[in-house]
Each structure stands twice: as structure tokens, then as C-alpha cells.
């Protein structure tokens, strides 16, 4: 797909591939990358029985704090999608820029302790 930008022949071949096939390919790549993603794993853990869930790196953090942090991340993701697809989509970079102050604001306000935030937001 990258060579289609530079060369004409691959670009022509790519135009012959139906759009649903390309969308299916990208959807498969996205879904196959989900396992191992920490946010995805924490969202799954909300719905699992804690007694049988395998231990994760963030297991030392209380479950309520982990769930709160995960829900805040999901809300931020939803806000990004909403802004991106609305008439104010040009402000999308502002939403991205506000994620870091939000993280530090959660610590400063005492909503999530610094030691918990360091574990949850390590990578």
C-alpha cells in the first residue's frame, strides 16, 4: 500500500481491490492487535470474575481505582471520536493536547494517588 503513493502501477492494482476487502483487512489488523493492549485488557477485566482473572501488572492497584481510570480513558476515547466526527472536528488536536493535563489533574485533585497512577499509566 505504501508503494502506491510513489508508483503508478501499484496504485492502479490497488484501485482494482474492492473497498470492503480493504476495510475488512484493516478491521482484522485492528482487532488482532487488541489482545495485549492494557486499556482493552482492563475493560475486559471489568466484566470478569476477579477471583479467576489472571494477575496483571496493575493488580496491586485497588479494583475501584483501576475501573475509574479505565472509565475515564473510555470517556476520553468517546470524546475524541465525537469531536472528530462533529462539525468542530478541527478541534481534535486540542482534545489530544488536553489528555496530559487531565492525567496530572487527576493526581493533583487526589482522585487517583500518584503511586497508583504510576502503575496504571506506566507505558
Amino acid at each position: 500500500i505504501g508503494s502506491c503513493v510513489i508508483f503508478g502501477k501499484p496504485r492502479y492494482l490497488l484501485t482494482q481491490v474492492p473497498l470492503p476487502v480493504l476495510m475488512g483487512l484493516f478491521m482484522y489488523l485492528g482487532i488482532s492487535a487488541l489482545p495485549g493492549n492494557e486499556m482493552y485488557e482492563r475493560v475486559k477485566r471489568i466484566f470478569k470474575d476477579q477471583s479467576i482473572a489472571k494477575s496483571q501488572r496493575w493488580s496491586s492497584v485497588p479494583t475501584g481505582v483501576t475501573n475509574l481510570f479505565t472509565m475515564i480513558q473510555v470517556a476520553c476515547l468517546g470524546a475524541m471520536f465525537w469531536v472528530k466526527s462533529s462539525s468542530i472536528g478541527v478541534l481534535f488536536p486540542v482534545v489530544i493536547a488536553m489528555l496530559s493535563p487531565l492525567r496530572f489533574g487527576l493526581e493533583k485533585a487526589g482522585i487517583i494517588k500518584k503511586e497508583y497512577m504510576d502503575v496504571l499509566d506506566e507505558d
Side-chain angles (χ1 to χ4, degrees):
I1 294 178
S3 66
C4 295
V5 175
I6 300 172
F7 304 110
K9 184 77 171 166
R11 188 177 312 133
Y12 171 74
L13 291 173
L14 191 60
T15 61
Q16 301 305 309
V17 177
L19 188 60
V21 171
L22 286 177
M23 293 304 208
L25 172 68
F26 290 126
M27 186 175 76
Y28 170 76
L29 290 172
I31 290 173
S32 65
L34 282 177
N37 180 302
E38 278 191 22
M39 183 176 158
Y40 175 71
E41 296 297 330
R42 286 195 313 265
V43 168
K44 279 191 346 185
R45 190 173 175 156
I46 290 172
F47 301 105
K48 285 185 180 178
D49 184 11
Q50 299 300 320
S51 62
I52 61 171
K54 78 176 180 179
S55 180
Q56 297 288 346
R57 182 179 56 79
W58 59 85
S59 296
S60 61
V61 178
T63 305
V65 175
T66 304
N67 291 346
L68 173 67
F69 183 71
T70 303
M71 289 300 120
I72 291 171
Q73 282 188 316
V74 169
C76 289
L77 182 65
M80 286 190 294
F81 275 111
W82 178 78
V83 168
K84 179 188 75 74
S85 61
S86 72
S87 61
I88 59 170
V90 71
L91 296 177
F92 182 74
V94 174
V95 176
I96 298 292
M98 293 307 294
L99 293 177
S100 183
L102 174 66
R103 181 213 189 272
F104 292 112
L106 290 171
E107 278 182 20
K108 191 169 271 273
I111 297 171
I112 298 177
K113 292 181 182 177
K114 182 174 178 7
E115 58 266 12
Y116 295 155
M117 187 65 83
D118 290 342
V119 171
L120 291 170
D121 198 27
E122 189 172 292
D123 288 331

